[in-house]
Amino acid sequence: EIVLTQSPATLSLSPGERATLSCRASQSIGSYLAWYQHKPGQAPRLLIYDASNRATAIPARFSGSGSGTDFTLTISSLEPEDFAVYYCQQRSRWPPSLTFGPGTKVDIK
Amino acid sequence: EVQLVESGGGLVKPGGSLRLSCAASGFTFSKYSMNWVRQAPGKGLEWVSSISFSSDRYYADSVKGRFTISRDNAENSLFLQMNSLRAEDTAVYYCARARIADWDRYYFDSWGQGTLVTVSS
C-alpha cells in the first residue's frame, strides 16, 4: 500500500506570501498525483492533476511539480481565499485503492 | 454546470443501516465513474468506494463487506447502502465524479456539498 505524507502540517503565512507545500509517496507513483483545496463547509476542489496540470478555472498562482516520490504545490502569492486545507491524492493499482495525504492547513499568520 | 447533490444522511444507531443518494445533473452521468469520499470530524479526506460506468465496484478495506455502491444511469443517481454501521463511520459523505475512467489518472473533478452521517446510540 502506498502511503502519502504531507509537510508541514500547518503553514502560517500572510496574504501575498509564497506557499510551498510538500507531498511525499512511500514508493514511486510516476506523475499520478492530484492536489485538492478544501474549505470548511464546502466541497473540496480539484486544483492540480497529473502532478502539474491545472484543473479547469484554477488560477495561475497555483502550480504543481514533481514526479516519482516527491511533489510540491506552490501558491505564488496567497490571496485571502486561499487559506484552507490542501490534500494530495494518488491511486494504487493492486489492490485497487485511492488514498489522500493527511493534509496541510494554510492559515493566516 | 455539473451538480452533485447528496441526501439520506442522518442519525443512526450502531449496527443500523442507512442509504445515501447522489443526484447528478449537468453531464452525461452514464459515461463517468462515480465515487464516495468521506471526512470524519476533525480528520482528513478518506476514499470510500468507486463504481465505473460499467458498474465495476471498488471499496476501501474499512467498509468492504458492509457498504455497497450502486448506480441508476436512467435516473442519473448514485447510491451507497451502508449496513452494520459503526461509530467510526460518522462523517460527512461526499459524492464525487472521476475526471476520467483511467485508474492510473483517477482524480475527483466535481464534488457535492456532502451529507452528514452520525452513528451513535
Side-chain angles (χ1 to χ4, degrees):
Chain A
E1 178 189 335
I2 299 173
V3 177
L4 295 176
T5 56
Q6 290 187 244
S7 62
T10 303
L11 195 53
S12 296
L13 295 168
S14 300
E17 289 194 293
R18 182 184 188 90
T20 303
L21 288 67
S22 174
C23 177
R24 178 163 290 179
S26 58
Q27 57 185 274
S28 178
I29 57 173
S31 296
Y32 301 132
L33 186 100
W35 290 94
Y36 300 85
Q37 177 191 69
H38 193 199
K39 298 178 185 178
Q42 296 188 19
R45 180 169 70 146
L46 176 66
L47 299 175
I48 301 288
Y49 65 92
D50 289 344
S52 61
N53 295 312
R54 270 192 302 277
T56 304
I58 300 304
R61 64 180 180 273
F62 292 92
S63 63
S65 63
S67 66
T69 60
D70 291 300
F71 300 86
T72 300
L73 173 70
T74 301
I75 310 171
S76 59
S77 177
L78 282 163
E79 296 288 339
E81 62 267 28
D82 298 338
F83 293 93
V85 180
Y86 292 84
Y87 297 93
C88 54
Q89 174 253 318
Q90 64 86 37
R91 93 293 177 258
S92 294
R93 288 180 178 171
W94 193 260
S97 67
L98 301 158
T99 55
F100 291 90
T104 290
K105 183 178 182 180
V106 178
D107 66 14
I108 300 176
K109 188 174 182 181
Chain B
E1 179 194 2
V2 173
Q3 282 203 317
L4 300 169
V5 180
E6 302 92 339
S7 60
L11 176 63
V12 61
K13 289 182 168 54
S17 298
L18 211 55
R19 189 188 195 216
L20 304 184
S21 300
C22 172
S25 60
F27 65 102
T28 306
F29 180 76
S30 61
K31 293 187 176 180
Y32 285 84
S33 297
M34 296 297 296
N35 312 271
W36 291 98
V37 177
R38 67 185 180 184
Q39 184 179 36
K43 304 292 186 182
L45 299 173
E46 180 191 17
W47 169 70
V48 173
S49 182
S50 299
I51 185 167
S52 73
F53 53 81
S54 57
S55 291
D56 295 320
R57 295 168 170 83
Y58 306 99
Y59 299 95
D61 286 345
S62 58
V63 307
K64 204 170 292 183
R66 301 187 298 123
F67 289 11
T68 301
I69 192 171
S70 62
R71 64 190 297 161
D72 183 339
N73 289 338
E75 294 294 327
N76 293 333
S77 294
L78 176 71
F79 305 101
L80 186 68
Q81 177 66 43
M82 304 186 295
N83 299 331
S84 303
L85 282 161
R86 307 166 179 166
E88 54 265 35
D89 295 317
T90 294
V92 174
Y93 284 74
Y94 296 99
C95 167
R97 186 182 80 169
R99 182 178 170 273
I100 61 174
D102 180 356
W103 193 256
D104 277 342
R105 302 170 63 210
Y106 201 91
Y107 315 119
F108 310 108
D109 70 346
S110 296
W111 299 67
Q113 292 293 321
T115 187
L116 176 62
V117 172
T118 303
V119 184
S120 175
S121 55

PDB file of all heavy atoms in Angstrom, chain A residues 16-51:
ATOM      1  N   GLY A  16      -0.202  37.495   0.167  1.00  0.00           N
ATOM      2  CA  GLY A  16       0.885  37.996  -0.658  1.00  0.00           C
ATOM      3  C   GLY A  16       2.144  37.153  -0.589  1.00  0.00           C
ATOM      4  O   GLY A  16       3.005  37.245  -1.483  1.00  0.00           O
ATOM      5  N   GLU A  17       2.275  36.340   0.438  1.00  0.00           N
ATOM      6  CA  GLU A  17       3.458  35.474   0.570  1.00  0.00           C
ATOM      7  C   GLU A  17       3.322  34.236  -0.323  1.00  0.00           C
ATOM      8  O   GLU A  17       2.233  33.861  -0.761  1.00  0.00           O
ATOM      9  CB  GLU A  17       3.675  35.071   2.024  1.00  0.00           C
ATOM     10  CG  GLU A  17       4.151  36.202   2.911  1.00  0.00           C
ATOM     11  CD  GLU A  17       4.669  35.708   4.248  1.00  0.00           C
ATOM     12  OE1 GLU A  17       3.853  35.188   5.043  1.00  0.00           O
ATOM     13  OE2 GLU A  17       5.889  35.846   4.500  1.00  0.00           O
ATOM     14  N   ARG A  18       4.438  33.567  -0.509  1.00  0.00           N
ATOM     15  CA  ARG A  18       4.503  32.345  -1.310  1.00  0.00           C
ATOM     16  C   ARG A  18       4.341  31.149  -0.392  1.00  0.00           C
ATOM     17  O   ARG A  18       4.959  31.091   0.678  1.00  0.00           O
ATOM     18  CB  ARG A  18       5.862  32.288  -2.009  1.00  0.00           C
ATOM     19  CG  ARG A  18       6.093  31.107  -2.926  1.00  0.00           C
ATOM     20  CD  ARG A  18       7.525  31.174  -3.448  1.00  0.00           C
ATOM     21  NE  ARG A  18       7.819  30.201  -4.474  1.00  0.00           N
ATOM     22  CZ  ARG A  18       7.659  30.422  -5.762  1.00  0.00           C
ATOM     23  NH1 ARG A  18       7.187  31.579  -6.194  1.00  0.00           N
ATOM     24  NH2 ARG A  18       7.972  29.494  -6.661  1.00  0.00           N
ATOM     25  N   ALA A  19       3.516  30.188  -0.816  1.00  0.00           N
ATOM     26  CA  ALA A  19       3.303  28.969  -0.036  1.00  0.00           C
ATOM     27  C   ALA A  19       3.880  27.787  -0.797  1.00  0.00           C
ATOM     28  O   ALA A  19       3.617  27.617  -1.995  1.00  0.00           O
ATOM     29  CB  ALA A  19       1.815  28.750   0.214  1.00  0.00           C
ATOM     30  N   THR A  20       4.644  26.963  -0.100  1.00  0.00           N
ATOM     31  CA  THR A  20       5.229  25.764  -0.703  1.00  0.00           C
ATOM     32  C   THR A  20       4.837  24.566   0.154  1.00  0.00           C
ATOM     33  O   THR A  20       5.234  24.455   1.311  1.00  0.00           O
ATOM     34  CB  THR A  20       6.763  25.874  -0.794  1.00  0.00           C
ATOM     35  OG1 THR A  20       7.099  27.045  -1.545  1.00  0.00           O
ATOM     36  CG2 THR A  20       7.335  24.644  -1.483  1.00  0.00           C
ATOM     37  N   LEU A  21       4.039  23.679  -0.432  1.00  0.00           N
ATOM     38  CA  LEU A  21       3.524  22.505   0.271  1.00  0.00           C
ATOM     39  C   LEU A  21       4.141  21.258  -0.338  1.00  0.00           C
ATOM     40  O   LEU A  21       4.273  21.157  -1.564  1.00  0.00           O
ATOM     41  CB  LEU A  21       1.998  22.421   0.145  1.00  0.00           C
ATOM     42  CG  LEU A  21       1.139  23.423   0.916  1.00  0.00           C
ATOM     43  CD1 LEU A  21       1.306  24.851   0.422  1.00  0.00           C
ATOM     44  CD2 LEU A  21      -0.325  22.999   0.843  1.00  0.00           C
ATOM     45  N   SER A  22       4.466  20.301   0.525  1.00  0.00           N
ATOM     46  CA  SER A  22       5.127  19.084   0.070  1.00  0.00           C
ATOM     47  C   SER A  22       4.260  17.853   0.274  1.00  0.00           C
ATOM     48  O   SER A  22       3.528  17.744   1.268  1.00  0.00           O
ATOM     49  CB  SER A  22       6.442  18.911   0.836  1.00  0.00           C
ATOM     50  OG  SER A  22       7.048  17.685   0.530  1.00  0.00           O
ATOM     51  N   CYS A  23       4.365  16.912  -0.656  1.00  0.00           N
ATOM     52  CA  CYS A  23       3.695  15.616  -0.566  1.00  0.00           C
ATOM     53  C   CYS A  23       4.715  14.569  -0.978  1.00  0.00           C
ATOM     54  O   CYS A  23       5.337  14.683  -2.038  1.00  0.00           O
ATOM     55  CB  CYS A  23       2.475  15.590  -1.476  1.00  0.00           C
ATOM     56  SG  CYS A  23       1.590  14.005  -1.521  1.00  0.00           S
ATOM     57  N   ARG A  24       4.886  13.563  -0.134  1.00  0.00           N
ATOM     58  CA  ARG A  24       5.858  12.513  -0.430  1.00  0.00           C
ATOM     59  C   ARG A  24       5.155  11.155  -0.429  1.00  0.00           C
ATOM     60  O   ARG A  24       4.387  10.853   0.496  1.00  0.00           O
ATOM     61  CB  ARG A  24       6.972  12.522   0.598  1.00  0.00           C
ATOM     62  CG  ARG A  24       8.022  11.436   0.404  1.00  0.00           C
ATOM     63  CD  ARG A  24       9.275  11.746   1.184  1.00  0.00           C
ATOM     64  NE  ARG A  24       9.988  12.888   0.611  1.00  0.00           N
ATOM     65  CZ  ARG A  24      11.119  13.378   1.137  1.00  0.00           C
ATOM     66  NH1 ARG A  24      11.624  12.880   2.245  1.00  0.00           N
ATOM     67  NH2 ARG A  24      11.712  14.402   0.565  1.00  0.00           N
ATOM     68  N   ALA A  25       5.434  10.344  -1.460  1.00  0.00           N
ATOM     69  CA  ALA A  25       4.859   8.999  -1.567  1.00  0.00           C
ATOM     70  C   ALA A  25       5.869   7.964  -1.080  1.00  0.00           C
ATOM     71  O   ALA A  25       7.071   8.136  -1.249  1.00  0.00           O
ATOM     72  CB  ALA A  25       4.470   8.718  -3.009  1.00  0.00           C
ATOM     73  N   SER A  26       5.355   6.885  -0.491  1.00  0.00           N
ATOM     74  CA  SER A  26       6.232   5.856   0.077  1.00  0.00           C
ATOM     75  C   SER A  26       6.911   5.011  -0.998  1.00  0.00           C
ATOM     76  O   SER A  26       7.866   4.292  -0.700  1.00  0.00           O
ATOM     77  CB  SER A  26       5.433   4.954   1.023  1.00  0.00           C
ATOM     78  OG  SER A  26       4.346   4.350   0.333  1.00  0.00           O
ATOM     79  N   GLN A  27       6.433   5.067  -2.216  1.00  0.00           N
ATOM     80  CA  GLN A  27       7.097   4.468  -3.363  1.00  0.00           C
ATOM     81  C   GLN A  27       6.729   5.271  -4.605  1.00  0.00           C
ATOM     82  O   GLN A  27       5.797   6.071  -4.576  1.00  0.00           O
ATOM     83  CB  GLN A  27       6.718   2.997  -3.524  1.00  0.00           C
ATOM     84  CG  GLN A  27       5.250   2.716  -3.666  1.00  0.00           C
ATOM     85  CD  GLN A  27       4.958   1.229  -3.690  1.00  0.00           C
ATOM     86  OE1 GLN A  27       5.007   0.598  -4.755  1.00  0.00           O
ATOM     87  NE2 GLN A  27       4.622   0.661  -2.545  1.00  0.00           N
ATOM     88  N   SER A  28       7.472   5.041  -5.679  1.00  0.00           N
ATOM     89  CA  SER A  28       7.273   5.854  -6.868  1.00  0.00           C
ATOM     90  C   SER A  28       5.868   5.716  -7.435  1.00  0.00           C
ATOM     91  O   SER A  28       5.337   4.602  -7.575  1.00  0.00           O
ATOM     92  CB  SER A  28       8.290   5.467  -7.945  1.00  0.00           C
ATOM     93  OG  SER A  28       8.068   6.237  -9.114  1.00  0.00           O
ATOM     94  N   ILE A  29       5.266   6.859  -7.758  1.00  0.00           N
ATOM     95  CA  ILE A  29       3.927   6.866  -8.366  1.00  0.00           C
ATOM     96  C   ILE A  29       3.948   7.620  -9.704  1.00  0.00           C
ATOM     97  O   ILE A  29       2.911   8.076 -10.188  1.00  0.00           O
ATOM     98  CB  ILE A  29       2.867   7.480  -7.421  1.00  0.00           C
ATOM     99  CG1 ILE A  29       3.247   8.904  -6.993  1.00  0.00           C
ATOM    100  CG2 ILE A  29       2.659   6.589  -6.199  1.00  0.00           C
ATOM    101  CD1 ILE A  29       2.148   9.615  -6.206  1.00  0.00           C
ATOM    102  N   GLY A  30       5.125   7.762 -10.292  1.00  0.00           N
ATOM    103  CA  GLY A  30       5.210   8.483 -11.553  1.00  0.00           C
ATOM    104  C   GLY A  30       4.745   9.911 -11.372  1.00  0.00           C
ATOM    105  O   GLY A  30       5.197  10.618 -10.463  1.00  0.00           O
ATOM    106  N   SER A  31       3.815  10.331 -12.242  1.00  0.00           N
ATOM    107  CA  SER A  31       3.240  11.670 -12.120  1.00  0.00           C
ATOM    108  C   SER A  31       1.763  11.604 -11.758  1.00  0.00           C
ATOM    109  O   SER A  31       1.025  12.573 -11.959  1.00  0.00           O
ATOM    110  CB  SER A  31       3.406  12.435 -13.438  1.00  0.00           C
ATOM    111  OG  SER A  31       4.762  12.640 -13.722  1.00  0.00           O
ATOM    112  N   TYR A  32       1.345  10.459 -11.198  1.00  0.00           N
ATOM    113  CA  TYR A  32      -0.074  10.242 -10.937  1.00  0.00           C
ATOM    114  C   TYR A  32      -0.472  10.794  -9.576  1.00  0.00           C
ATOM    115  O   TYR A  32      -0.712  10.049  -8.617  1.00  0.00           O
ATOM    116  CB  TYR A  32      -0.415   8.767 -11.041  1.00  0.00           C
ATOM    117  CG  TYR A  32      -0.106   8.165 -12.392  1.00  0.00           C
ATOM    118  CD1 TYR A  32       0.588   6.959 -12.500  1.00  0.00           C
ATOM    119  CD2 TYR A  32      -0.501   8.801 -13.562  1.00  0.00           C
ATOM    120  CE1 TYR A  32       0.868   6.401 -13.740  1.00  0.00           C
ATOM    121  CE2 TYR A  32      -0.225   8.257 -14.809  1.00  0.00           C
ATOM    122  CZ  TYR A  32       0.461   7.058 -14.884  1.00  0.00           C
ATOM    123  OH  TYR A  32       0.743   6.510 -16.109  1.00  0.00           O
ATOM    124  N   LEU A  33      -0.530  12.113  -9.481  1.00  0.00           N
ATOM    125  CA  LEU A  33      -0.842  12.763  -8.215  1.00  0.00           C
ATOM    126  C   LEU A  33      -1.724  13.973  -8.469  1.00  0.00           C
ATOM    127  O   LEU A  33      -1.552  14.683  -9.463  1.00  0.00           O
ATOM    128  CB  LEU A  33       0.441  13.222  -7.506  1.00  0.00           C
ATOM    129  CG  LEU A  33       0.169  13.783  -6.107  1.00  0.00           C
ATOM    130  CD1 LEU A  33       0.471  12.735  -5.053  1.00  0.00           C
ATOM    131  CD2 LEU A  33       0.942  15.052  -5.858  1.00  0.00           C
ATOM    132  N   ALA A  34      -2.666  14.186  -7.551  1.00  0.00           N
ATOM    133  CA  ALA A  34      -3.547  15.347  -7.619  1.00  0.00           C
ATOM    134  C   ALA A  34      -3.467  16.140  -6.323  1.00  0.00           C
ATOM    135  O   ALA A  34      -3.081  15.608  -5.273  1.00  0.00           O
ATOM    136  CB  ALA A  34      -4.993  14.910  -7.855  1.00  0.00           C
ATOM    137  N   TRP A  35      -3.828  17.405  -6.422  1.00  0.00           N
ATOM    138  CA  TRP A  35      -3.928  18.292  -5.254  1.00  0.00           C
ATOM    139  C   TRP A  35      -5.347  18.858  -5.197  1.00  0.00           C
ATOM    140  O   TRP A  35      -5.926  19.222  -6.218  1.00  0.00           O
ATOM    141  CB  TRP A  35      -2.942  19.456  -5.369  1.00  0.00           C
ATOM    142  CG  TRP A  35      -1.503  19.088  -5.226  1.00  0.00           C
ATOM    143  CD1 TRP A  35      -0.620  18.799  -6.227  1.00  0.00           C
ATOM    144  CD2 TRP A  35      -0.761  19.030  -4.010  1.00  0.00           C
ATOM    145  NE1 TRP A  35       0.621  18.545  -5.706  1.00  0.00           N
ATOM    146  CE2 TRP A  35       0.563  18.685  -4.340  1.00  0.00           C
ATOM    147  CE3 TRP A  35      -1.073  19.236  -2.663  1.00  0.00           C
ATOM    148  CZ2 TRP A  35       1.580  18.539  -3.379  1.00  0.00           C
ATOM    149  CZ3 TRP A  35      -0.083  19.093  -1.704  1.00  0.00           C
ATOM    150  CH2 TRP A  35       1.233  18.748  -2.071  1.00  0.00           C
ATOM    151  N   TYR A  36      -5.882  18.945  -3.967  1.00  0.00           N
ATOM    152  CA  TYR A  36      -7.216  19.489  -3.721  1.00  0.00           C
ATOM    153  C   TYR A  36      -7.146  20.576  -2.657  1.00  0.00           C
ATOM    154  O   TYR A  36      -6.310  20.523  -1.752  1.00  0.00           O
ATOM    155  CB  TYR A  36      -8.177  18.399  -3.219  1.00  0.00           C
ATOM    156  CG  TYR A  36      -8.359  17.256  -4.179  1.00  0.00           C
ATOM    157  CD1 TYR A  36      -7.469  16.196  -4.180  1.00  0.00           C
ATOM    158  CD2 TYR A  36      -9.410  17.240  -5.089  1.00  0.00           C
ATOM    159  CE1 TYR A  36      -7.617  15.138  -5.062  1.00  0.00           C
ATOM    160  CE2 TYR A  36      -9.573  16.192  -5.982  1.00  0.00           C
ATOM    161  CZ  TYR A  36      -8.665  15.145  -5.958  1.00  0.00           C
ATOM    162  OH  TYR A  36      -8.812  14.100  -6.843  1.00  0.00           O
ATOM    163  N   GLN A  37      -8.071  21.518  -2.769  1.00  0.00           N
ATOM    164  CA  GLN A  37      -8.266  22.542  -1.757  1.00  0.00           C
ATOM    165  C   GLN A  37      -9.593  22.266  -1.067  1.00  0.00           C
ATOM    166  O   GLN A  37     -10.591  21.972  -1.734  1.00  0.00           O
ATOM    167  CB  GLN A  37      -8.313  23.921  -2.418  1.00  0.00           C
ATOM    168  CG  GLN A  37      -8.581  25.072  -1.478  1.00  0.00           C
ATOM    169  CD  GLN A  37      -8.888  26.343  -2.259  1.00  0.00           C
ATOM    170  OE1 GLN A  37      -9.930  26.461  -2.908  1.00  0.00           O
ATOM    171  NE2 GLN A  37      -7.975  27.311  -2.195  1.00  0.00           N
ATOM    172  N   HIS A  38      -9.620  22.379   0.276  1.00  0.00           N
ATOM    173  CA  HIS A  38     -10.858  22.132   1.000  1.00  0.00           C
ATOM    174  C   HIS A  38     -11.050  23.177   2.081  1.00  0.00           C
ATOM    175  O   HIS A  38     -10.191  23.355   2.948  1.00  0.00           O
ATOM    176  CB  HIS A  38     -10.844  20.731   1.626  1.00  0.00           C
ATOM    177  CG  HIS A  38     -12.183  20.288   2.110  1.00  0.00           C
ATOM    178  ND1 HIS A  38     -12.345  19.262   3.033  1.00  0.00           N
ATOM    179  CD2 HIS A  38     -13.435  20.709   1.809  1.00  0.00           C
ATOM    180  CE1 HIS A  38     -13.638  19.087   3.267  1.00  0.00           C
ATOM    181  NE2 HIS A  38     -14.309  19.959   2.517  1.00  0.00           N
ATOM    182  N   LYS A  39     -12.178  23.863   1.987  1.00  0.00           N
ATOM    183  CA  LYS A  39     -12.529  24.859   2.998  1.00  0.00           C
ATOM    184  C   LYS A  39     -13.676  24.321   3.837  1.00  0.00           C
ATOM    185  O   LYS A  39     -14.517  23.567   3.324  1.00  0.00           O
ATOM    186  CB  LYS A  39     -12.955  26.159   2.331  1.00  0.00           C
ATOM    187  CG  LYS A  39     -11.863  26.792   1.498  1.00  0.00           C
ATOM    188  CD  LYS A  39     -12.357  28.053   0.823  1.00  0.00           C
ATOM    189  CE  LYS A  39     -11.317  28.618  -0.113  1.00  0.00           C
ATOM    190  NZ  LYS A  39     -11.802  29.830  -0.819  1.00  0.00           N
ATOM    191  N   PRO A  40     -13.756  24.698   5.123  1.00  0.00           N
ATOM    192  CA  PRO A  40     -14.836  24.197   5.998  1.00  0.00           C
ATOM    193  C   PRO A  40     -16.216  24.466   5.416  1.00  0.00           C
ATOM    194  O   PRO A  40     -16.496  25.577   4.948  1.00  0.00           O
ATOM    195  CB  PRO A  40     -14.608  24.979   7.293  1.00  0.00           C
ATOM    196  CG  PRO A  40     -13.173  25.367   7.266  1.00  0.00           C
ATOM    197  CD  PRO A  40     -12.834  25.608   5.828  1.00  0.00           C
ATOM    198  N   GLY A  41     -17.058  23.440   5.427  1.00  0.00           N
ATOM    199  CA  GLY A  41     -18.438  23.588   4.961  1.00  0.00           C
ATOM    200  C   GLY A  41     -18.594  23.640   3.461  1.00  0.00           C
ATOM    201  O   GLY A  41     -19.707  23.833   2.961  1.00  0.00           O
ATOM    202  N   GLN A  42     -17.500  23.463   2.730  1.00  0.00           N
ATOM    203  CA  GLN A  42     -17.570  23.498   1.270  1.00  0.00           C
ATOM    204  C   GLN A  42     -17.134  22.170   0.679  1.00  0.00           C
ATOM    205  O   GLN A  42     -16.533  21.327   1.349  1.00  0.00           O
ATOM    206  CB  GLN A  42     -16.684  24.622   0.719  1.00  0.00           C
ATOM    207  CG  GLN A  42     -17.117  26.016   1.126  1.00  0.00           C
ATOM    208  CD  GLN A  42     -16.329  27.092   0.388  1.00  0.00           C
ATOM    209  OE1 GLN A  42     -15.714  26.839  -0.653  1.00  0.00           O
ATOM    210  NE2 GLN A  42     -16.350  28.296   0.925  1.00  0.00           N
ATOM    211  N   ALA A  43     -17.443  22.001  -0.608  1.00  0.00           N
ATOM    212  CA  ALA A  43     -16.958  20.833  -1.323  1.00  0.00           C
ATOM    213  C   ALA A  43     -15.467  20.988  -1.622  1.00  0.00           C
ATOM    214  O   ALA A  43     -15.003  22.095  -1.913  1.00  0.00           O
ATOM    215  CB  ALA A  43     -17.725  20.678  -2.632  1.00  0.00           C
ATOM    216  N   PRO A  44     -14.692  19.926  -1.537  1.00  0.00           N
ATOM    217  CA  PRO A  44     -13.309  20.006  -1.987  1.00  0.00           C
ATOM    218  C   PRO A  44     -13.243  20.396  -3.460  1.00  0.00           C
ATOM    219  O   PRO A  44     -14.201  20.194  -4.210  1.00  0.00           O
ATOM    220  CB  PRO A  44     -12.788  18.572  -1.771  1.00  0.00           C
ATOM    221  CG  PRO A  44     -13.675  17.999  -0.714  1.00  0.00           C
ATOM    222  CD  PRO A  44     -15.033  18.606  -0.994  1.00  0.00           C
ATOM    223  N   ARG A  45     -12.091  20.959  -3.863  1.00  0.00           N
ATOM    224  CA  ARG A  45     -11.926  21.419  -5.232  1.00  0.00           C
ATOM    225  C   ARG A  45     -10.626  20.864  -5.793  1.00  0.00           C
ATOM    226  O   ARG A  45      -9.567  21.012  -5.157  1.00  0.00           O
ATOM    227  CB  ARG A  45     -11.933  22.955  -5.263  1.00  0.00           C
ATOM    228  CG  ARG A  45     -11.769  23.537  -6.657  1.00  0.00           C
ATOM    229  CD  ARG A  45     -12.033  25.021  -6.698  1.00  0.00           C
ATOM    230  NE  ARG A  45     -11.035  25.842  -6.053  1.00  0.00           N
ATOM    231  CZ  ARG A  45     -10.666  27.061  -6.460  1.00  0.00           C
ATOM    232  NH1 ARG A  45     -11.211  27.554  -7.557  1.00  0.00           N
ATOM    233  NH2 ARG A  45      -9.794  27.757  -5.775  1.00  0.00           N
ATOM    234  N   LEU A  46     -10.711  20.274  -6.978  1.00  0.00           N
ATOM    235  CA  LEU A  46      -9.515  19.794  -7.657  1.00  0.00           C
ATOM    236  C   LEU A  46      -8.713  20.976  -8.165  1.00  0.00           C
ATOM    237  O   LEU A  46      -9.232  21.817  -8.901  1.00  0.00           O
ATOM    238  CB  LEU A  46      -9.907  18.873  -8.823  1.00  0.00           C
ATOM    239  CG  LEU A  46      -8.765  18.357  -9.699  1.00  0.00           C
ATOM    240  CD1 LEU A  46      -7.838  17.433  -8.920  1.00  0.00           C
ATOM    241  CD2 LEU A  46      -9.323  17.633 -10.932  1.00  0.00           C
ATOM    242  N   LEU A  47      -7.433  21.048  -7.793  1.00  0.00           N
ATOM    243  CA  LEU A  47      -6.555  22.127  -8.238  1.00  0.00           C
ATOM    244  C   LEU A  47      -5.620  21.669  -9.355  1.00  0.00           C
ATOM    245  O   LEU A  47      -5.481  22.325 -10.380  1.00  0.00           O
ATOM    246  CB  LEU A  47      -5.688  22.612  -7.070  1.00  0.00           C
ATOM    247  CG  LEU A  47      -6.370  23.197  -5.849  1.00  0.00           C
ATOM    248  CD1 LEU A  47      -5.318  23.484  -4.774  1.00  0.00           C
ATOM    249  CD2 LEU A  47      -7.130  24.464  -6.205  1.00  0.00           C
ATOM    250  N   ILE A  48      -4.931  20.567  -9.107  1.00  0.00           N
ATOM    251  CA  ILE A  48      -3.854  20.073  -9.968  1.00  0.00           C
ATOM    252  C   ILE A  48      -4.057  18.575 -10.184  1.00  0.00           C
ATOM    253  O   ILE A  48      -4.376  17.852  -9.232  1.00  0.00           O
ATOM    254  CB  ILE A  48      -2.478  20.299  -9.308  1.00  0.00           C
ATOM    255  CG1 ILE A  48      -2.224  21.780  -9.016  1.00  0.00           C
ATOM    256  CG2 ILE A  48      -1.357  19.691 -10.154  1.00  0.00           C
ATOM    257  CD1 ILE A  48      -1.956  22.643 -10.221  1.00  0.00           C
ATOM    258  N   TYR A  49      -3.877  18.111 -11.417  1.00  0.00           N
ATOM    259  CA  TYR A  49      -3.891  16.677 -11.687  1.00  0.00           C
ATOM    260  C   TYR A  49      -2.660  16.298 -12.495  1.00  0.00           C
ATOM    261  O   TYR A  49      -2.023  17.164 -13.099  1.00  0.00           O
ATOM    262  CB  TYR A  49      -5.187  16.257 -12.394  1.00  0.00           C
ATOM    263  CG  TYR A  49      -5.355  16.846 -13.775  1.00  0.00           C
ATOM    264  CD1 TYR A  49      -4.914  16.157 -14.897  1.00  0.00           C
ATOM    265  CD2 TYR A  49      -5.961  18.085 -13.952  1.00  0.00           C
ATOM    266  CE1 TYR A  49      -5.064  16.689 -16.165  1.00  0.00           C
ATOM    267  CE2 TYR A  49      -6.122  18.624 -15.214  1.00  0.00           C
ATOM    268  CZ  TYR A  49      -5.672  17.924 -16.321  1.00  0.00           C
ATOM    269  OH  TYR A  49      -5.823  18.455 -17.576  1.00  0.00           O
ATOM    270  N   ASP A  50      -2.332  15.016 -12.471  1.00  0.00           N
ATOM    271  CA  ASP A  50      -1.110  14.534 -13.120  1.00  0.00           C
ATOM    272  C   ASP A  50       0.103  15.372 -12.701  1.00  0.00           C
ATOM    273  O   ASP A  50       0.970  15.690 -13.517  1.00  0.00           O
ATOM    274  CB  ASP A  50      -1.259  14.533 -14.654  1.00  0.00           C
ATOM    275  CG  ASP A  50      -2.214  13.460 -15.147  1.00  0.00           C
ATOM    276  OD1 ASP A  50      -2.516  12.533 -14.364  1.00  0.00           O
ATOM    277  OD2 ASP A  50      -2.664  13.549 -16.306  1.00  0.00           O
ATOM    278  N   ALA A  51       0.129  15.725 -11.437  1.00  0.00           N
ATOM    279  CA  ALA A  51       1.240  16.404 -10.759  1.00  0.00           C
ATOM    280  C   ALA A  51       1.420  17.873 -11.120  1.00  0.00           C
ATOM    281  O   ALA A  51       1.849  18.669 -10.270  1.00  0.00           O
ATOM    282  CB  ALA A  51       2.561  15.663 -10.982  1.00  0.00           C
TER     283      ALA A  51
END
